[in-house]
Amino acid sequence: MWDIDLTYREEFQDVFDRLLEKKEVLEKQRPLPAVALKKIRESLMIEWTYNSNSIEGNTLSLRETQMILQEGITIKGKSLREHFEAKNHESAINHLYTLVENTSHILLSSDILSLHGYILRSIEDEFAGRLRNGGVRIAGANFTPPNARKVSGLLDELIQFVQNNPLGLNDIELATVFHHKFVWIHPFFDGNGRTIRLAMNLLLMRKGFPPAIILKNDRKKYYDALNQANKGNYKKLMLVISQALERTLNIYIGALPGSDYEYTEISNLVEEESLPYGQEYLSLLARQGKIDAYKEGRNWLTTKKAIKDYIKSRKRKR
Ligand SMILES: Nc1ncnc2c1ncn2[C@@H]1O[C@H](COP(=O)(O)OP(=O)(O)OP(=O)(O)O)[C@@H](O)[C@H]1O
Ligand SMILES: [Mg+2]
């Protein structure tokens, strides 16, 4: 169970280096300007809540989520449960920020249980913060989660694995493997996805990263990546999580005063610059994580520097 195929690594070295470099840029600027930090946290609160709940099936839009969280408005035609899910996720994130401050340990089982407690509060109180005591199935998954009798032991082993990191994984790899093994164990009757999308970020944030937010638009890719990880292939999940992380790193860096990271849509760059690649090819490189880029809505955004870096690295490899 804890043997992991690391053959994806070679291909990801550039991506990991780039993410670490961006984290360093942020770390050097800490503490970040309070006003900028507050604004980013508020907008991330809304999009994190919207995206994670929407992946789970909540039908509130981003705007509706914002109205509920920021203006305390209830949305006509939406169930009480959906409102609770939005409010609960907000409380869970606030709780997460307090957990992040406590860096005396990497991960405790109480961290996970308390996050889960917030997620199901007032919705399924009898299950909130409690491990399952019966079988579960995951729709569309290529496996059945382990028997309930094994859950507690497996979860302890997973936490040990994260704490001791016997394979010497970097922070991004560790968060990714943690995410996958957790949903594989499926410790709760419900709320596993929302809980691990928080707990994975607890690891990253304790290491100085911003949260990686998996977008609703990437749901299919994300589920497919989990299915591949079930078969032992972590490549796609590594990409999904790296890209999610890079997007928020870019948001933070972009908010720093005097930032020179200017992202534009690939189509604009192709028009303005004399580049050796067309839009299609650059989009492909972006999707594959081969250039520094992130997706906003339906468009990929990148920088001139990213493309120059790519051209340089190609020359080096030849
Ligand atoms: N094929 C799969 N293999 C492993 N895990 C999967 C697979 N498909 C989905 N999952 C995980 O299971 C989660 C669903 O579990 P559960 O319903 O308990 O969580 P939820 O928070 O209520 O919903 P969701 O996770 O959809 O937000 C998914 O979010 C995903 O992380
Ligand atoms: Mg569910």
Side-chain angles (χ1 to χ4, degrees), residues 56 190-191 194:
E56 174 258 344
D190 196 13
R194 284 163 288 173

Side-chain angles (χ1 to χ4, degrees), residues 196-222:
I196 192 60
R197 290 189 290 275
L198 292 162
M200 164 183 82
N201 282 326
L202 178 58
L203 290 190
L204 289 171
M205 290 158 82
R206 276 183 173 150
K207 296 297 176 129
F209 285 97
I213 300 176
I214 297 167
L215 301 178
K216 161 70 190 321
N217 279 343
D218 287 334
R219 184 176 194 264
K220 203 173 159 290
K221 205 159 76 174
Y222 168 52

Side-chain angles (χ1 to χ4, degrees), residues 124-143:
E124 290 165 284
D125 276 320
E126 68 279 29
F127 299 139
R130 296 222 175 97
L131 299 182
R132 65 182 162 89
N133 56 4
V136 277
R137 299 179 56 87
I138 310 175
N142 55 2
F143 78 107

